[in-house]
Amino acid sequence: MKIIRSIKSMQSFSRQMAAKGKTTAVVPTMGYLHEGHVSLVSRAQKEADVVVTTIFVNPAQFAPSEDLARYPRDEKRDIRLIEAALGKASKNAAIFIPKAEDMYPADFETWVIVEKLTSVLEGARRPTHFRGVTTVVAKLFNIVRPDVAVFGQKDFQQAMVLGRMTRDLGYPIKFIVAPTVREEDGLAKSSRNAYFDEQGRWEAVALYYALQTAREMVKAGISAAGPITREMQAVIRATSPTAEIDYIAFNDAKTLENRTEVSKGTICSLAVRIRGVRLIDNLKLK
Ligand code: AMP
């Protein structure tokens, strides 16, 4: 597997692959990989001849108050995990690990912004987050020139925003959103789970319990968002007494319009701070 650190070398790798008639799938990540990331890499392998995983802790998507400096990193382990996931196919694969100063030179001033889809949920709480995400992914698309890109449902708003960007800017890329991979108890796998001590890790399942509660209520015929939200709040408090709920929201999965009644295509998403660690999760309810 090729480990590529410069933008020029990545561009030349992509050109070589295209000249050989090989298709490429890209999996953008911030590293500290887990089985969720690995599932995207395996999906990418099914979709194209060459898999390029990118590892870049993107400073532009962190606010000054957020966890950029302490975001977990382990490049060697990441490389081993990707190699193991790809098996023989790792011969044709690459990992692109650009440097922040190359991606964002000192006089960098060009941003890609998706306007409406980023005005709610995570975008409303983290005002500069999505322009960081869209800008870095646009750059990665331009450098890697993939035929396919794979993202995770875990960050469903991010996937929607990037899907819209891909369409709006006319990237000739097949855009795939792969399902959320969970721990045995239901907690969505996340690099940030590494922040938890044992107690925090137990309590972190609160988000999943709350989403399951919502699903059960909908199955039982309750569709008003109000009572479902209250029950979810109670479940979170019972599982993690010190949890701070940032939001519990019900939206149309295609437009992100707010929903006060659960109907076909309604997705429930939530952000909760458990012992200082902010987690997000979501589930389609109908
Ligand atoms: P990150 O490294 O957290 O920026 O995530 C990189 C990609 O992996 C994004 O497309 C995420 O949505 C996806 N991802 C993160 N966690 C999971 C998970 N538990 N299951 C599936 N995909 C995930």
Side-chain angles (χ1 to χ4, degrees):
M1 190 158 54
K2 276 212 157 59
I3 311 296
I4 301 175
R5 294 179 193 276
S6 86
I7 291 175
K8 265 216 168 103
S9 308
M10 188 65 239
Q11 285 165 328
S12 108
F13 178 88
S14 304
R15 269 198 300 272
Q16 281 166 31
M17 292 305 128
K20 287 185 188 163
K22 291 192 187 301
T23 56
T24 297
V26 72
V27 181
T29 81
M30 297 206 298
Y32 211 73
L33 303 184
H34 50 66
E35 285 163 45
H37 298 113
V38 168
S39 76
L40 306 188
V41 170
S42 301
R43 179 65 194 271
Q45 186 182 4
K46 291 203 182 89
E47 295 284 338
D49 304 318
V50 178
V51 176
V52 177
T53 308
T54 71
I55 298 177
F56 182 56
V57 182
N58 174 32
Q61 71 189 67
F62 289 78
S65 60
E66 293 178 353
D67 56 343
L68 173 63
R70 69 171 187 136
Y71 196 83
R73 295 158 210 246
D74 191 342
E75 202 180 286
K76 282 201 183 115
R77 184 171 152 274
D78 289 347
I79 294 169
R80 275 203 309 275
L81 279 173
I82 296 169
E83 248 163 9
L86 291 176
K88 276 193 195 136
S90 64
K91 201 162 54 84
N92 288 324
I95 306 183
F96 180 43
I97 313 178
K99 293 189 184 63
E101 61 266 32
D102 292 341
M103 292 295 272
Y104 300 107
D107 52 357
F108 184 89
E109 58 172 326
T110 306
W111 298 96
V112 177
I113 294 170
V114 173
E115 292 186 337
K116 241 169 77 187
L117 284 179
T118 63
S119 65
V120 296
L121 302 173
E122 287 300 288
R125 273 82 187 176
R126 306 176 69 192
T128 57
H129 172 68
F130 281 121
R131 75 164 199 180
V133 172
T134 40
T135 300
V136 83
V137 171
K139 285 197 71 147
L140 292 170
F141 282 179
N142 293 334
I143 295 165
V144 176
R145 305 225 156 216
D147 302 281
V148 179
V150 187
F151 295 91
Q153 172 71 16
K154 157 81 181 0
D155 303 278
F156 92 103
Q157 188 183 12
Q158 167 176 284
M160 284 185 72
V161 167
L162 290 170
R164 184 66 54 86
M165 176 192 85
T166 300
R167 190 206 65 187
D168 287 354
L169 296 184
Y171 284 110
I173 295 175
K174 179 176 173 189
F175 193 91
I176 293 174
V177 184
T180 302
V181 176
R182 298 179 179 280
E183 301 284 354
E184 238 167 70
D185 65 357
L187 171 66
K189 299 232 178 209
S190 164
S191 308
R192 289 189 167 99
N193 293 347
Y195 293 144
F196 287 122
D197 60 13
E198 207 179 329
Q199 182 64 27
R201 173 60 191 81
W202 281 107
E203 293 182 16
V205 76
L207 284 82
Y208 182 68
Y209 286 171
L211 289 170
Q212 288 303 314
T213 301
R215 179 173 268 178
E216 292 305 317
M217 289 177 80
V218 170
K219 266 197 198 145
I222 299 162
S223 62
I228 299 176
T229 303
R230 283 191 287 282
E231 200 53 40
M232 290 173 77
Q233 287 165 338
V235 166
I236 292 168
R237 258 184 253 115
T239 315
S240 177
T242 59
E244 297 159 51
I245 301 172
D246 194 349
Y247 62 84
I248 294 174
F250 299 82
N251 299 79
D252 181 82
K254 288 218 165 76
T255 62
L256 286 192
E257 267 168 49
N258 186 49
R259 288 276 177 267
T260 53
E261 292 278 326
V262 174
S263 56
K264 199 166 160 28
T266 299
I267 191 161
C268 178
S269 60
L270 75 173
V272 181
R273 204 174 282 277
I274 306 275
R275 295 181 162 253
V277 181
R278 187 173 184 279
L279 298 178
I280 59 171
D281 202 349
N282 66 81
L283 196 66
K284 191 117 170 258
L285 291 182
K286 222 173 178 181

